[in-house]
Amino acid sequence: MPRLVMKFGGTSVADLERIENAARLVQREVERGYHVIVIVSAMSGKTNELVGWVNQTSHFYDAREYDAVVSSGENVTAGLMSLRLQQMGIDARSWQGWQVPVRTTAAHGAARIEEIGTANLDAKFAGEMQVAVVAGFQGLSPENRITTLGRGGSDTTAVAFAAAFGAERCDIYTDVDGIYTTDPRVASKARKLDKIAYEEMLELASLGAKVLQTRSVELAMRYKVRLQVLSSFEDKPGTLVCDEDEIMESNVVSGVAFQRDEAKMTLLAVEDRPGIAAAIFGPLAEAGINVDMIVQNISEEGHTDMTFSCPTDQVARARKALEQAMADGTVAYENLVTDDNVAKVSIVGIGMRSHAGVAQQMFRALANEGVNIKVITTSEIKVSVLIDRKYLELAVQSLHDAFALDKAG
Amino acid sequence: MPRLVMKFGGTSVADLERIENAARLVQREVERGYHVIVIVSAMSGKTNELVGWVNQTSHFYDAREYDAVVSSGENVTAGLMSLRLQQMGIDARSWQGWQVPVRTTAAHGAARIEEIGTANLDAKFAGEMQVAVVAGFQGLSPENRITTLGRGGSDTTAVAFAAAFGAERCDIYTDVDGIYTTDPRVASKARKLDKIAYEEMLELASLGAKVLQTRSVELAMRYKVRLQVLSSFEDKPGTLVCDEDEIMESNVVSGVAFQRDEAKMTLLAVEDRPGIAAAIFGPLAEAGINVDMIVQNISEEGHTDMTFSCPTDQVARARKALEQAMADGTVAYENLVTDDNVAKVSIVGIGMRSHAGVAQQMFRALANEGVNIKVITTSEIKVSVLIDRKYLELAVQSLHDAFALDKAG
């Protein structure tokens, strides 16, 4: 019998009524003939309540105790979901991370799954045809302490189970109905994608379409786990995140992503010498600045200009770190210019690899609307530009039109 | 170093402030030089919330899932208590039942502790001098499922740990400051006892002084664990429940217990034959009736009267069960008379064993107040009577005076 992993996020199991709704979705797949593994999150709000208590109790908290407290939310949902399924006449039982066991590293609060023991669940699939309801987000450290995988970790749990048990698919039930070509609130013509390649999803996720945890997509790509993102509240297919081989026809560009609150910082006339990039970005990393795009202009007379972008609310800290580096003598520059009224817009698509002129097409579309480009970076399947923030909506809409994203490829 | 078990009930850890208060009590014992094992209950209200969810989810619930859900409350408290102790500079860690491990029977919802593994905690006492904060009320079944010990089970957890680790004492912190000679709301002269023998505590607990779970007292008696009941909100000694050898001087009678809502049921002219008691009380047990006192009068002409008491709210069910037994022909009697306006009053004391005339002293004290006695039963350390409910306060007060319970022995 084929196996299926079904993962329900916090809003999908927010109360007893929603747990019942989710259980009916499980029932449907059982009736279709799947061996089902259900991965559940905590009822929404519960994890925040527990985290709040930990923070109020201890300033410098022991991450092992944090994990012991916070993991309890998923255990409650797993038990309740099992009971609900039993009430529907479906054999089911809950599994906590240590019972499976889900073996992880000892990095409490952000542990990585190392191995999932399959013998216990396999026995239930073979003998009793039982639905396994697994508490997501948690595992067991080498010292037999409870670990958690970090926020959004239940997605990662789901993909890891799908890989370990050779599931046909891993369905991620959430409160959105799939992945869109862009944010529908910005471009009304945004269209839900039937399929998207892992690589594209990774670029879109890190660019702001916060539907799936990046790590879970990386894991799915590595183990070729077919991931479906779909709504637990609407009965329709979602978006399948899969290998590009499975996507027969597709647009050259799959989506337009954006980041509204970016800032551009430029160091003018930096002394150009080997190691200068490390000297600049080392202090920024230490200060916890999320540097995104980096552009270095050609050198003139031993000096160059270095531009980078970061979130607007980190500008003050970034400036402080760079001025300190200047004072320490590790970096020399003439001036530091900040523009915190920019936004980033990116087009993403695996089709770019085999199509020339995609970047040019993007630049022309923006030029036609009078949008000035301030910084450009490119990767194999993505072109990103920084523009004035006031043009963000205009840029997204015009790119969506230019690449005909409202029509299926 | 001597070891100490400290158990905090739900009201003693009801919120973060009370957890901090409890942690300060632990700190004091650590500073006195004890190796401390802390046993915690769920924050008050939490277990009821979880039980409510289970009941709303499933009518005929799987007790294994019930246990998996309900045990999470204690895990949260254990983590928070460890964090609070760490915040005070005390090395501490939480232990869930399966981590210790606390091995129990598979009787989910009412499991019995079979063995407590001591190696893991002993290692922490030897090497790191760490406070162990243990989630009470829970254990691990032979199938590696989570079990719970039933309501009030954290007291039993505490006593079992005290026995397993050879603790000098087991302190049960609660919202009352000790065991009283009787209920102070009924007799204002009620006095807190410094010490009470296990046997006396058992009789008092089952008679209504609901401070300690009966099972935990039985366990303490079997393993000679010295139990102290004390308040977590007032800084004064509580009552020590201990072996009678440790109680040098004591009153003949230690306390006056009572049960307000009793009913007396009498089967008149029951056919007197071998097996008739079983024929009567079998159906009552099946109907879930808590039969308390049983008195059988002498037989006359092959017939006898059989009187028993039970809680008032079970009278209707008891009557139905007996009428059914009559209809089935398993029991024959002339009439069934019910008096649901009675109360039970008992005097308890290990001193009775060596003092004659205690019962007589009780009957005279009641007679002096004009209180008529309807039923009498006696055991080695207890005399109980049923009286009209309206005389309950008068009877308790006069017995308290008659045995001079307001003065230490």
Side-chain angles (χ1 to χ4, degrees):
Chain A
M1 268 166 80
R3 290 170 176 187
L4 183 69
V5 171
M6 303 174 74
K7 183 257 170 179
F8 295 95
T11 53
S12 300
V13 291
D15 53 37
L16 299 184
E17 204 179 315
R18 290 196 176 175
I19 288 174
E20 184 178 351
N21 175 62
R24 274 196 297 268
L25 295 171
V26 173
Q27 180 179 38
R28 185 168 64 178
E29 301 298 351
V30 168
E31 285 169 358
R32 282 175 180 162
Y34 282 106
H35 277 161
V36 177
I37 300 172
V38 182
I39 312 287
V40 291
S41 298
M43 295 157 84
S44 65
K46 281 289 150 194
T47 301
N48 285 340
E49 181 186 58
L50 295 167
V51 169
W53 287 344
V54 168
N55 289 336
Q56 286 173 63
T57 301
S58 174
H59 304 314
F60 308 100
Y61 61 71
D62 179 347
R64 294 167 298 189
E65 298 301 344
Y66 172 97
D67 284 355
V69 171
V70 169
S71 60
S72 69
E74 280 71 15
N75 293 345
V76 171
T77 320
L80 293 176
M81 174 69 85
S82 300
L83 287 166
R84 172 52 65 186
L85 288 167
Q86 291 175 1
Q87 182 72 14
M88 292 174 169
I90 298 169
D91 187 18
R93 77 156 271 195
S94 66
W95 295 86
Q96 299 186 5
W98 60 271
Q99 289 176 317
V100 174
V102 178
R103 301 237 170 247
T104 73
T105 61
H108 286 272
R112 300 187 80 90
I113 294 174
E114 302 219 302
E115 195 195 349
I116 292 176
T118 53
N120 289 335
L121 264 69
D122 273 341
K124 299 292 180 184
F125 284 145
E128 310 170 33
M129 297 276 282
Q130 198 177 57
V131 172
V133 184
V134 179
F137 175 63
Q138 61 179 241
L140 192 63
S141 80
E143 293 82 29
N144 279 339
R145 301 291 296 262
I146 295 167
T147 55
T148 66
L149 311 180
R151 274 302 171 107
S154 291
D155 287 345
T156 306
T157 303
V159 173
F161 271 79
F165 289 92
E168 185 178 294
R169 206 173 62 242
C170 177
D171 286 348
I172 307 283
Y173 284 88
T174 176
D175 49 2
V176 301
D177 62 356
I179 312 296
Y180 278 72
T181 50
T182 193
D183 187 337
R185 287 168 300 186
V186 168
S188 58
K189 290 185 190 169
R191 178 177 55 86
K192 191 176 74 182
L193 293 160
D194 294 332
K195 292 181 178 179
I196 187 170
Y198 298 119
E199 293 86 344
E200 292 173 325
M201 187 67 218
L202 281 174
E203 294 289 4
L204 288 170
S206 62
L207 288 171
K210 285 162 185 161
V211 181
L212 279 172
Q213 207 203 17
T214 304
R215 235 169 84 204
S216 69
V217 180
E218 289 170 357
L219 201 63
M221 183 163 71
R222 190 178 332 144
Y223 292 102
K224 305 265 189 224
V225 170
R226 302 167 74 239
L227 264 181
Q228 184 180 203
V229 176
L230 70 176
S231 166
S232 51
F233 308 116
E234 293 174 67
D235 186 19
K236 56 184 185 186
T239 299
L240 187 71
V241 186
C242 58
D243 197 85
E244 58 183 285
D245 295 346
E246 203 179 328
I247 305 174
M248 299 297 289
E249 294 283 345
S250 83
N251 289 327
V252 176
V253 170
S254 292
V256 181
F258 59 88
Q259 201 85 28
R260 190 180 296 270
D261 293 314
E262 289 275 292
K264 179 169 78 86
M265 301 188 81
T266 305
L267 293 160
L268 293 172
V270 183
E271 172 201 18
D272 193 8
R273 55 171 172 81
I276 187 64
I280 291 172
F281 294 106
L284 291 172
E286 277 166 34
I289 309 298
N290 296 107
V291 172
D292 181 7
M293 304 165 84
I294 298 175
V295 182
Q296 183 178 356
N297 289 358
I298 54 166
S299 181
E300 279 175 41
E301 293 170 14
H303 289 82
T304 185
D305 296 338
M306 186 77 84
T307 297
F308 65 92
S309 69
C310 71
T312 316
D313 57 6
Q314 297 182 355
V315 166
R317 260 194 299 151
R319 177 176 287 277
K320 202 176 153 198
L322 290 169
E323 286 173 353
Q324 185 61 47
M326 179 81 139
D328 294 346
T330 54
V331 174
Y333 55 86
E334 211 176 87
N335 204 356
L336 173 57
V337 181
T338 301
D339 179 356
D340 52 10
N341 279 310
V342 297
K344 182 168 75 161
V345 178
S346 309
I347 54 171
V348 173
I350 49 170
M352 286 185 205
R353 285 193 296 229
S354 51
H355 281 76
V358 175
Q360 174 58 19
Q361 201 177 340
M362 178 188 196
F363 304 153
R364 184 171 307 126
L366 294 174
N368 286 344
E369 300 291 343
V371 177
N372 189 36
I373 296 170
K374 304 192 154 204
V375 172
I376 302 171
T377 60
T378 60
S379 77
E380 209 184 356
I381 64 165
K382 181 179 68 168
V383 182
S384 299
V385 296
L386 282 189
I387 59 173
D388 277 336
R389 188 171 303 134
K390 62 182 175 186
Y391 295 129
L392 176 63
E393 282 77 8
L394 178 64
V396 170
Q397 288 159 12
S398 64
L399 291 172
H400 202 270
D401 285 345
F403 291 101
L405 294 186
D406 54 332
K407 299 178 187 69
Chain B
M1 268 168 78
R3 291 172 174 185
L4 183 68
V5 171
M6 302 173 74
K7 182 259 171 178
F8 295 95
T11 53
S12 300
V13 292
D15 54 35
L16 299 184
E17 205 179 314
R18 290 196 175 175
I19 289 174
E20 185 179 350
N21 175 62
R24 274 197 297 268
L25 295 171
V26 173
Q27 180 179 37
R28 186 168 64 178
E29 301 297 350
V30 169
E31 287 169 356
R32 283 175 179 162
Y34 282 107
H35 277 161
V36 177
I37 300 173
V38 182
I39 312 288
V40 291
S41 298
M43 295 157 82
S44 64
K46 281 289 152 192
T47 301
N48 285 340
E49 182 185 58
L50 295 167
V51 169
W53 286 344
V54 168
N55 288 336
Q56 285 172 62
T57 300
S58 175
H59 304 313
F60 308 100
Y61 61 73
D62 179 347
R64 294 165 299 190
E65 298 301 345
Y66 172 98
D67 284 355
V69 170
V70 169
S71 60
S72 68
E74 278 72 15
N75 293 344
V76 170
T77 318
L80 293 175
M81 174 68 86
S82 300
L83 287 165
R84 172 51 67 187
L85 288 168
Q86 290 175 2
Q87 182 71 13
M88 292 175 169
I90 298 170
D91 187 17
R93 76 155 273 196
S94 67
W95 296 85
Q96 299 186 5
W98 60 271
Q99 290 176 316
V100 173
V102 178
R103 300 237 170 247
T104 72
T105 61
H108 286 272
R112 300 187 80 91
I113 295 175
E114 301 219 302
E115 195 196 348
I116 292 176
T118 53
N120 290 334
L121 264 69
D122 274 341
K124 300 292 181 185
F125 284 146
E128 309 170 33
M129 295 278 280
Q130 199 177 56
V131 172
V133 184
V134 179
F137 175 62
Q138 61 178 243
L140 192 63
S141 79
E143 294 80 31
N144 279 339
R145 303 289 299 261
I146 295 167
T147 53
T148 65
L149 310 182
R151 276 303 172 105
S154 291
D155 287 346
T156 305
T157 304
V159 173
F161 271 78
F165 289 93
E168 185 178 294
R169 206 172 63 241
C170 178
D171 285 347
I172 307 284
Y173 284 89
T174 177
D175 48 4
V176 300
D177 62 357
I179 311 296
Y180 278 72
T181 50
T182 194
D183 187 336
R185 287 169 299 186
V186 168
S188 58
K189 291 186 191 169
R191 178 177 55 87
K192 192 176 74 183
L193 293 159
D194 294 332
K195 293 181 178 178
I196 186 170
Y198 298 120
E199 293 86 345
E200 291 172 327
M201 187 65 218
L202 280 173
E203 293 290 4
L204 289 170
S206 62
L207 288 171
K210 284 162 185 161
V211 180
L212 279 171
Q213 209 204 14
T214 304
R215 235 169 86 203
S216 68
V217 180
E218 289 171 357
L219 202 63
M221 182 162 73
R222 190 177 334 144
Y223 292 103
K224 304 265 188 222
V225 170
R226 299 167 75 238
L227 266 180
Q228 185 182 200
V229 176
L230 68 178
S231 166
S232 52
F233 307 116
E234 292 173 69
D235 187 18
K236 56 184 185 186
T239 299
L240 187 71
V241 186
C242 58
D243 197 87
E244 58 184 287
D245 295 345
E246 204 179 325
I247 305 174
M248 298 298 288
E249 293 283 345
S250 82
N251 289 328
V252 175
V253 170
S254 291
V256 181
F258 59 87
Q259 200 86 28
R260 190 179 299 270
D261 293 314
E262 289 276 291
K264 177 169 79 86
M265 301 187 81
T266 304
L267 292 161
L268 294 172
V270 183
E271 171 201 20
D272 193 8
R273 58 171 170 81
I276 186 67
I280 291 171
F281 295 105
L284 291 172
E286 276 166 35
I289 308 299
N290 296 107
V291 172
D292 183 7
M293 302 164 84
I294 297 177
V295 182
Q296 185 178 353
N297 289 359
I298 53 166
S299 181
E300 281 175 42
E301 293 168 16
H303 288 81
T304 185
D305 297 338
M306 185 78 83
T307 297
F308 65 92
S309 69
C310 70
T312 315
D313 57 6
Q314 297 181 356
V315 166
R317 260 194 300 151
R319 177 177 285 278
K320 202 175 153 200
L322 290 170
E323 286 171 352
Q324 186 61 49
M326 178 83 139
D328 294 346
T330 54
V331 174
Y333 56 84
E334 209 176 271
N335 204 357
L336 173 56
V337 181
T338 301
D339 178 356
D340 52 9
N341 277 310
V342 295
K344 181 168 75 163
V345 179
S346 310
I347 55 171
V348 173
I350 47 170
M352 286 186 206
R353 285 193 296 227
S354 49
H355 281 75
V358 175
Q360 172 59 17
Q361 201 178 342
M362 178 188 195
F363 304 152
R364 185 172 306 129
L366 293 174
N368 287 344
E369 300 290 345
V371 177
N372 189 36
I373 296 170
K374 306 191 154 204
V375 172
I376 301 171
T377 60
T378 60
S379 77
E380 210 183 357
I381 64 165
K382 181 179 68 168
V383 183
S384 298
V385 297
L386 281 190
I387 58 172
D388 277 335
R389 187 171 303 133
K390 62 183 175 185
Y391 295 128
L392 176 62
E393 283 78 8
L394 177 64
V396 171
Q397 287 159 10
S398 64
L399 291 172
H400 203 270
D401 285 345
F403 292 101
L405 295 185
D406 55 331
K407 299 178 187 70

